[in-house]
Structure formats: C-alpha cells, structure tokens
Amino acid sequence: MSKRLAGRTLGISPFYVMELLRRAKQLETQGKDVIHMEIGEPDFATPETIVEAGIRQLQTGEVKYTPAAGLPELREKIAEFYQQRYSVTVDKKRIFITPGASGAFLLALGASLNPSEELLMADPCYPCNSNFVKLFDGKARTVAVNADSRYQLTAALIERHWHEATKGALIASPSNPTGTIIAPDQLKQAIHTVNALGGCFYSDEIYHGLVYGEKASTALAFSDNVFVINSFSKYFGMTGWRVGWLIVPEEFVDATEKLAQNIFIATATHSQYAAIAAFDPITLAELELRRAEFNKRRDFLYDALLGLGFDIPIKPDGAFYIYANCAKFTDDSFQFAMDLLEAEGVAITPGKDFGLHEANRYVRFAYTTSIARMAIAMQRLERFISRG
Amino acid sequence: MSKRLAGRTLGISPFYVMELLRRAKQLETQGKDVIHMEIGEPDFATPETIVEAGIRQLQTGEVKYTPAAGLPELREKIAEFYQQRYSVTVDKKRIFITPGASGAFLLALGASLNPSEELLMADPCYPCNSNFVKLFDGKARTVAVNADSRYQLTAALIERHWHEATKGALIASPSNPTGTIIAPDQLKQAIHTVNALGGCFYSDEIYHGLVYGEKASTALAFSDNVFVINSFSKYFGMTGWRVGWLIVPEEFVDATEKLAQNIFIATATHSQYAAIAAFDPITLAELELRRAEFNKRRDFLYDALLGLGFDIPIKPDGAFYIYANCAKFTDDSFQFAMDLLEAEGVAITPGKDFGLHEANRYVRFAYTTSIARMAIAMQRLERFISRG
Ligand SMILES: Cc1ncc(COP(=O)(O)O)c(C=O)c1O
Ligand SMILES: Cc1ncc(COP(=O)(O)O)c(C=O)c1O
C-alpha cells in the first residue's frame, strides 16, 4: 500500500456491482445474452425536446463558461418549478446548478462538513453518500433501518443517534435501493429535530417525479433551513448530461458560490441549456408517459418476485428499484447475484453495495428494462431458484 | 458568521475579478462599451469538427453514464496524442477523463492529500490551486517567484521550502498568470527532487499547445511518477464543455477510479464524444491557425504595453496572458484596474487574484480578444495613464 495515498481513499469502497459488470461484459463478448437489472439509469433516451435544445446551443459554437452558480434562466426555471409543483417559494440565489446530484453533494458537504464530523444516514442507502462524507474526512454514521420506518430515518432515530460530533442527517426519498418514500409528517419531524439540534439537514430528492402513488414532499415545504439535492438525471432522463442542482440555506449561499467557482468553474453549458427545455409542457407530458410505464414495470416485477418467493416487506413507492429479501434462497446475496449471472445471464445488484445491515439477505432489482425482457429474466430466475 | 459553515470555506477566497465583472456588467447595461481583457478563455468558438461530433452523439439520444474513468476511445486517443506529440508512452489505464482540469485537480488531490499536509506552489499562480488544497483541509504553501526563475518553482526552491508536512509540489507551465514556460531541464530537476523527497509532483499542463516558441515539455517525459492535469478547455477551445483529463502514477490508479465513481459518476457523455474529434487532423490544423493568431496578439500586446511604460520582465512563452508590472502608475493594482474600468471601460485582472507576492504591483492582461479591440483598449489605457 502506497504511503502517498490519502488516508481517506482507504475507507472508500468501490462498487461491488462492478465485479458483476465486468463478468457480464465477458459473458456478452462470448455471445451470451445478459438481462441488465442492475442499472441505475432510465433505459429511455433523453426526451427529444431536451436533445434539440442541447443541439441548438451547440450549433451556436459559443460553448463558453457560464456563471459558477449556473445560467440565470435555468435557476429561474427551477424556482418556477418549485412554485408550480410544490407551491413552495425558493429565492433563486439559493439555487446552484451542479454537475449532477453528485456535484450537488460535493458542494453541500464541502460547504458544511468539517473533518471528523459525522453525518447520519440510513442503512441501506445510496453507496456514494458515505463516500462523499469520507472525501471530506468526515464519518458516515449509518443507522440500520427496516420496513417499519419505511427504510427511512425518523426523528426518533435521529435523536437517538445524535451525539457531539454529529453535523447533520441525510434522507433520500424515494430511497435508493428501497424505493420507499418518507411520509410528509415524518419528514417534517425529522427536519425540525435536526434544526432544533442545530445541525444540517440534507434531502436527496433525485427520484422525485418517479413516484407511483402519493407525490413525494420536498424538504423545502417544511423549512428553508435545508440542503436539497436534485438532478436532471433520473426523472428527466439526462444521466449522461451531468446536470443537477443544489438548494442551500441562505447562510451558505456565499460559501457555496466560492466553492462552485473554484472546484467546477461551471456546469457544462450545453447541458444547462438543454435542461431549460426539461420544464417544457411537451417534455413533461412525455415524462409522465414514461412514469406510467415505470409504474407498470414496478407492478409487474413486484408481483413476479413475490410469486417466486422473494420477500418484499413494502411495495416501493418510487424510483425504479425493488429491494428484495432473498434469504429464502441464500445467506450470501453477493454470491447469489454472481451465480445468477453466471448460470442465467441476469444481472442484479448485491445488498452489500448499500450498507451492512442485513446486506447479505438482500438484492436490488432495477426495472430499467422492458417488461418483455423482465419476463424472460423472471423465467430464468425461476429456473435458477428451482435448481436450488 | 454561521457556526455551521465548514471551516475550510473561511480560507477560500472568491475571485476579486468578480467585483470588476459585476461593475463591467452594470456599465454595459448602461450602454457603455467594455473591452474584456480579463477573460481566461479563448474568444474563438469551439472548432466545427468538435461541435459536429457532439451533435452527432446527441442525435442518438443515448446520453447515458459512461464508465467512471471515461470513454475507452477517448482515453486511447489521449494515449496516442502523448505518443505523437511528445513521444511518450502512457498506459491508458493511468488516464482518467474528468470534468475539466478542475475535475482533474479534485481527483488528484482527493487521492493524495491528507488534511494539514502542504503543497508547494508558485506565487503568483492560478487562484484555484490553493483553494483545491484547502478543500481537502490541506495547506497551500506559496513560494514567491520572480523573473529570474521564469516565475516557476525550481528544484532549489522546492528543497528550501520542503519540510515535514510537505506532500508535494505543483508546477503549471505555461503559467497562468505569467505565460512563462519552465525549461525542460528545470522541470526534470524539480520532478527528480520531489521524487527523491518521496512526495507527489503535480504538473498542470492545461496551456500546452498554446505556445509561441519552444514547445512545453510534459512532466511525463521525465518520470511516470507524476500527476499530469490537462484539459480540452484552452488549446482545444472547449471551456464550456467541461472535459479534461488526469494522468496518475500507477499506484494511484485504483484510488482514483474509486473517487471518480463516487464523486462524478462520469464526465458528460456528449462532451467526451466531442473531445474525440479534438484530435482529428482537421481540428488540429484549425487550432494551429488559432495559435498563430494568439501569437500575433501576444506580440502586439507585449509591444503596446512596453510602449506605454509597463514593465514585463519576461516575454511570455505561452497561454494568453501578460502579467505586467504597473508600479510606475500605481501602488494598488486592484484600484488601478477598478479605475481603468470605470474611466475607460477596459477590464483587466488585478494581481491579488494570483497571490500575495508583489500582487499590488501587477495586473494580468488576457489577449482573448481581437487585435482591433486591443488596439482601442491600448488607446484608452494610454489616455487613462496620461491623466495620472
Ligand atoms: C440516491 C441517488 N442520489 C444521487 C445520485 C447521483 O446522480 P447524478 O449525479 O447523476 O445526478 C444517484 C445516482 O444513482 C442516486 O441514486
Ligand atoms: C492554470 C489553470 N489550470 C486549470 C484551469 C481549469 O480549467 P478547466 O477546468 O476549464 O479545464 C484553468 C482555468 O482557467 C487554469 O488557468
């Protein structure tokens, strides 16, 4: 081990699913058919209206740096979006355009988290969360959550785990990997608890829009004193464009602006122009059709997995994931995923990519592929399971 | 001051030139003509071949995440580029595609710099350098440099300032703001000195290609044990696309990959496809024409400023900047820049954006505007100076 490596890199885990992906590629090169149910991005192409807006910008040839906080028109659009969709007023100076939700995390934690401070987050959760914390030499304090709190942190859990070094709490709703939404009242209580403790509240709302029942509430509905992380990646179908946004509490505006100037200079210009078109009524209509399709896929996959004997304590409310308990079939979900890939060419994500809590008993299925393909995957899965 | 702000944000300075820019905008809104000689990006549009490649990619609609380290084709192209341009062989697994040189700095320092470790860098230098170090709670140890070392760190300076907490040294050649190149032999000695001391060497080569005499040497010509930071922003005219690259020593490959996965997911997809076209012979021919134009501008501006009584100890070798001593006219270069803008509508960058060393005696002129516009700027400048 190199003595020159920064200490923080030791604590940062690679994604275990990468090992599966490498094997999947090999199998595909050998001509095997692999059904990808591990992928965390929509299979749909970016909506045409958005693509066209991006192309129009490129045709000018003037692809220069934008202001660090982002194009004023795009920040304005996002402010309007909060007004229309959530009836929430956000001062646009609090809105920063970032290279994806990833860039939003960088800014939010860079501006607020000191080395050795701790952040509370659910286990299971999105694997990068704890790694962002480690990037700034902070500590991720994961809290085991179960179906009884919809796999979400609660005010009570936050209070119980809060201690001197705790800087704040992070909630993602809908959650990756569980797809569960936190109830509005629970979210409100969690925010008020963190605020009362003098901490920072971070709300990852990247899967907003991709919900199949009740809408998800934005943290901004309950307080201005929150960091909201969002992105054009998932609902808007713009993963590869790398554009998202961050909303910060007023007192963080100046620090966030300085950080953005220094660490990004700006977000990709054409991606920002394209994102303006994401709020066009035509685009939104198209996205609603896609949402309806995801809804069907969720129902299909949920029923199919239950039928095969997987345990899914809560039917997911949103995102495009089902976190399924496979303890009936294995006590090592990573090996289960590897064997399934090898035997049947179905790729899924092992629980251990999302934490430690019962990780060996869970796998994540992503319904980012068609029902037709998933139907084949379910036949293969059935065959795999029945072989024991 | 908020108690919740991360301590690191206190040490991060905003760009002073922003104050000038705000005033310039006001003046322009009032109908005043402002000649922009403060801008650190080429005024040329992105070459058409590159734009077209970007558009072609967008037209597929498949703008998905790429591998974290970047598109294999682009990494391959970069490896070939080193072979062709510098006769240097680089294993492509050491090459990471990043959101600009900014993203390359993030990865390089994230992978190598621990809190409270120090990095040696020249004063004056690019303002973000020290802020990247502070982002990771390290310390920027700036070393005053003068014309006698071509405003570059030397092996002797590195040795003299090295102490227990020093992690490494950063050299940018051509330099921003001085445009000076480090001599190949000096670069070699600096690298060997840092390697002998067991530290990390970081070479910012973003202005390579924009040179008007001798070519700049890549650090990779002298050692594989270096971090090389580069970008498509400047020579290739792609600032707003946000795409650059980082080359790391072998032992940092795994850590860099993990960091890239976690903090970026990937660089913008269409920007990467566009960048592949940056190496087309047609593009390179176009870029050489632009270089010739920059060369003429440099000569024009250099002569004009000397004629007006500015002191420029070394004629810059590259980039698109002239760092001029204005002590004959003022002992406060920031005020000088402000007054010049106010009185004559010429925007330049004050020395204090680049450090502390004699900063009040220097201003930076960027020749990122046409000779015709610069000629008018010089008339205005002459009038301004002669009024005293
Ligand atoms: C919960 C969650 N947050 C944030 C992100 C980051 O996405 P992006 O940077 O593309 O916006 C992801 C991506 O998978 C995610 O699942
Ligand atoms: C010396 C130097 N390094 C790095 C950068 C970062 O550029 P980018 O992130 O656009 O590649 C700049 C931009 O001005 C620069 O002048």
Side-chain angles (χ1 to χ4, degrees):
Chain A
M1 175 58 63
S2 163
K3 269 177 48 187
R4 296 190 304 166
L5 274 180
R8 70 178 68 82
T9 62
L10 305 184
I12 295 184
S13 44
F15 305 147
Y16 297 105
V17 73
M18 289 295 162
E19 220 174 294
L20 267 116
L21 279 179
R22 263 191 295 275
R23 184 63 191 139
K25 262 225 176 98
Q26 284 173 356
L27 291 171
E28 283 171 329
T29 316
Q30 292 163 22
K32 295 248 169 74
D33 174 52
V34 175
I35 302 178
H36 289 278
M37 299 192 68
E38 83 289 14
I39 292 178
E41 64 182 325
D43 50 325
F44 299 111
T46 302
E48 252 176 63
T49 41
I50 297 177
V51 172
E52 278 162 16
I55 290 176
R56 271 198 306 280
Q57 205 285 315
L58 285 186
Q59 278 164 346
T60 69
E62 291 299 310
V63 193
K64 310 282 186 190
Y65 293 133
T66 72
L71 287 174
E73 305 91 293
L74 180 55
R75 298 168 79 194
E76 185 72 65
K77 280 274 177 206
I78 290 172
E80 279 169 25
F81 183 69
Y82 278 94
Q83 198 68 62
Q84 282 158 18
R85 181 150 299 199
Y86 304 101
S87 305
V88 162
T89 306
V90 187
D91 186 342
K92 82 173 194 255
K93 77 162 187 272
R94 290 171 53 208
I95 303 172
F96 291 84
I97 309 302
T98 57
S102 305
F105 269 117
L106 260 179
L107 287 186
L109 297 185
S112 60
L113 193 75
N114 288 304
S116 50
E117 286 180 340
E118 300 190 3
L119 209 62
L120 299 176
M121 57 186 70
D123 177 353
C125 75
Y126 176 55
C128 300
N129 293 340
S130 59
N131 292 331
F132 275 113
V133 170
K134 288 173 199 158
L135 184 72
F136 294 110
D137 301 290
K139 294 208 181 86
R141 199 177 172 94
T142 54
V143 176
V145 291
N146 293 305
D148 36 288
S149 71
R150 306 188 71 76
Y151 297 106
Q152 296 283 0
L153 289 182
T154 61
L157 285 171
I158 290 171
E159 267 179 337
R160 186 172 332 141
H161 290 272
W162 199 275
H163 72 130
E164 223 186 317
T166 311
K167 183 56 167 266
L170 165 67
I171 281 181
S173 165
S175 147
N176 175 5
T178 65
T180 49
I181 288 182
I182 188 170
D185 209 54
Q186 300 277 320
L187 177 58
K188 183 174 165 182
Q189 280 176 38
I191 293 170
H192 289 174
T193 300
V194 170
N195 284 346
L197 289 161
C200 293
F201 190 88
Y202 309 84
S203 181
D204 180 352
E205 305 187 350
I206 189 170
Y207 291 106
H208 274 216
L210 288 172
V211 291
Y212 313 116
E214 295 287 294
K215 282 198 177 148
S217 307
T218 174
L220 292 162
F222 306 116
S223 172
D224 277 327
N225 188 21
V226 291
F227 289 87
V228 168
I229 288 133
N230 209 324
S231 174
F232 292 95
S233 285
K234 312 287 172 159
Y235 175 64
F236 298 98
M238 294 182 70
T239 45
W241 299 73
R242 311 311 300 125
V243 53
W245 70 89
L246 171 68
I247 300 173
V248 302
E250 175 94 36
E251 69 192 278
F252 284 91
V253 166
D254 292 345
T256 306
E257 169 118 35
K258 284 194 297 186
L259 280 185
Q261 280 176 2
N262 278 286
I263 70 184
F264 303 137
I265 301 186
T267 297
T269 306
H270 45 335
S271 297
Q272 293 190 66
Y273 278 98
I276 292 175
F279 300 110
D280 282 357
I282 309 173
T283 315
L284 293 172
E286 166 74 24
L287 295 174
E288 284 305 294
L289 294 177
R290 294 177 180 197
R291 186 173 66 88
E293 171 62 20
F294 276 124
N295 192 348
K296 279 191 213 138
R297 292 180 184 179
R298 176 197 61 160
D299 292 345
F300 169 84
L301 183 61
Y302 178 74
D303 292 342
L305 291 175
L306 285 185
L308 291 176
F310 287 87
D311 183 24
I312 307 167
I314 308 182
K315 184 167 180 177
D317 309 296
F320 30 60
Y321 307 116
I322 293 184
Y323 199 56
N325 187 324
C326 55
K328 198 171 153 187
F329 314 113
T330 183
D331 56 6
D332 180 350
S333 62
F334 180 72
Q335 199 54 52
F336 180 82
M338 276 301 217
D339 292 345
L340 174 62
L341 174 65
E342 203 63 50
E344 294 288 352
V346 175
I348 57 177
T349 308
K352 71 175 176 172
D353 261 334
F354 307 102
L356 297 169
H357 177 56
E358 301 207 316
N360 280 332
R361 305 161 69 93
Y362 281 87
V363 288
R364 187 191 75 177
F365 291 84
Y367 41 95
T368 49
T369 189
S370 68
I371 290 182
R373 289 288 281 165
M374 287 199 289
I376 304 172
M378 290 305 112
Q379 285 166 8
R380 296 183 184 179
L381 185 54
E382 180 167 24
R383 194 162 55 203
F384 176 72
I385 288 166
S386 66
R387 272 203 301 271
Chain B
M1 175 59 63
S2 162
K3 268 177 49 188
R4 295 190 303 166
L5 274 180
R8 71 178 66 84
T9 63
L10 306 183
I12 296 183
S13 44
F15 304 147
Y16 297 105
V17 73
M18 288 294 163
E19 221 174 295
L20 266 116
L21 279 179
R22 264 191 295 275
R23 184 62 190 140
K25 263 225 176 97
Q26 284 174 356
L27 291 171
E28 283 171 328
T29 316
Q30 292 162 22
K32 295 247 168 75
D33 174 52
V34 174
I35 301 178
H36 289 279
M37 299 191 68
E38 84 289 14
I39 293 178
E41 64 182 325
D43 50 325
F44 300 109
T46 302
E48 252 175 63
T49 41
I50 297 178
V51 171
E52 278 161 17
I55 290 176
R56 269 198 309 279
Q57 205 285 316
L58 286 186
Q59 278 163 345
T60 68
E62 292 298 311
V63 194
K64 310 281 187 192
Y65 294 131
T66 71
L71 287 174
E73 305 92 290
L74 180 55
R75 298 168 79 194
E76 186 71 64
K77 280 274 177 207
I78 291 173
E80 279 169 24
F81 182 69
Y82 278 94
Q83 198 67 62
Q84 282 160 18
R85 183 151 298 199
Y86 304 101
S87 305
V88 162
T89 305
V90 188
D91 186 342
K92 81 172 195 254
K93 77 163 187 270
R94 291 171 53 208
I95 302 172
F96 290 84
I97 309 302
T98 57
S102 305
F105 269 118
L106 260 179
L107 287 186
L109 297 185
S112 61
L113 194 74
N114 288 304
S116 53
E117 285 181 341
E118 300 189 2
L119 209 62
L120 298 177
M121 57 185 71
D123 177 352
C125 75
Y126 175 55
C128 300
N129 292 341
S130 60
N131 293 331
F132 274 112
V133 171
K134 289 173 198 156
L135 184 72
F136 294 110
D137 299 292
K139 293 207 181 88
R141 199 176 173 96
T142 55
V143 177
V145 291
N146 294 305
D148 36 289
S149 72
R150 305 189 71 76
Y151 297 107
Q152 295 283 359
L153 290 182
T154 62
L157 285 171
I158 290 170
E159 267 180 336
R160 188 171 330 140
H161 291 272
W162 198 276
H163 72 130
E164 222 184 317
T166 311
K167 183 56 166 267
L170 165 67
I171 281 182
S173 167
S175 146
N176 174 5
T178 65
T180 49
I181 289 181
I182 189 170
D185 209 54
Q186 299 277 320
L187 177 58
K188 183 174 165 181
Q189 282 177 38
I191 293 169
H192 289 174
T193 300
V194 170
N195 283 346
L197 288 160
C200 293
F201 190 88
Y202 309 85
S203 182
D204 180 352
E205 305 187 350
I206 190 171
Y207 292 106
H208 275 216
L210 288 172
V211 291
Y212 314 116
E214 295 287 294
K215 282 198 178 148
S217 307
T218 174
L220 292 162
F222 306 116
S223 172
D224 277 327
N225 187 21
V226 291
F227 289 88
V228 168
I229 288 133
N230 209 325
S231 174
F232 292 95
S233 286
K234 312 288 171 158
Y235 174 64
F236 298 97
M238 293 182 71
T239 45
W241 299 74
R242 313 309 300 127
V243 54
W245 70 89
L246 170 68
I247 300 173
V248 303
E250 175 93 37
E251 69 191 276
F252 284 91
V253 166
D254 291 345
T256 306
E257 169 118 36
K258 284 193 298 185
L259 279 185
Q261 280 176 2
N262 278 285
I263 69 183
F264 305 136
I265 300 185
T267 296
T269 306
H270 45 334
S271 297
Q272 293 189 68
Y273 277 99
I276 292 174
F279 300 110
D280 281 359
I282 310 173
T283 315
L284 294 173
E286 167 73 26
L287 295 175
E288 283 304 293
L289 293 177
R290 295 177 179 196
R291 187 173 67 87
E293 171 62 22
F294 277 124
N295 192 347
K296 279 191 212 140
R297 292 180 184 179
R298 177 197 60 160
D299 293 344
F300 170 84
L301 182 61
Y302 177 74
D303 292 342
L305 291 175
L306 285 185
L308 291 176
F310 286 87
D311 183 24
I312 308 166
I314 308 182
K315 184 166 180 177
D317 309 296
F320 31 60
Y321 307 116
I322 293 184
Y323 199 56
N325 187 324
C326 55
K328 197 170 153 187
F329 314 114
T330 184
D331 56 6
D332 180 349
S333 62
F334 181 72
Q335 199 55 51
F336 180 82
M338 275 301 216
D339 293 345
L340 174 63
L341 174 64
E342 203 64 51
E344 295 288 353
V346 175
I348 56 177
T349 308
K352 71 176 176 172
D353 260 335
F354 307 101
L356 296 169
H357 177 56
E358 300 208 315
N360 280 333
R361 305 160 69 94
Y362 281 86
V363 288
R364 187 192 76 176
F365 290 84
Y367 41 96
T368 48
T369 189
S370 67
I371 290 182
R373 290 287 281 164
M374 287 200 289
I376 305 172
M378 291 304 113
Q379 285 166 9
R380 296 183 185 178
L381 185 55
E382 179 166 24
R383 194 160 56 203
F384 176 72
I385 289 167
S386 64
R387 272 203 302 271

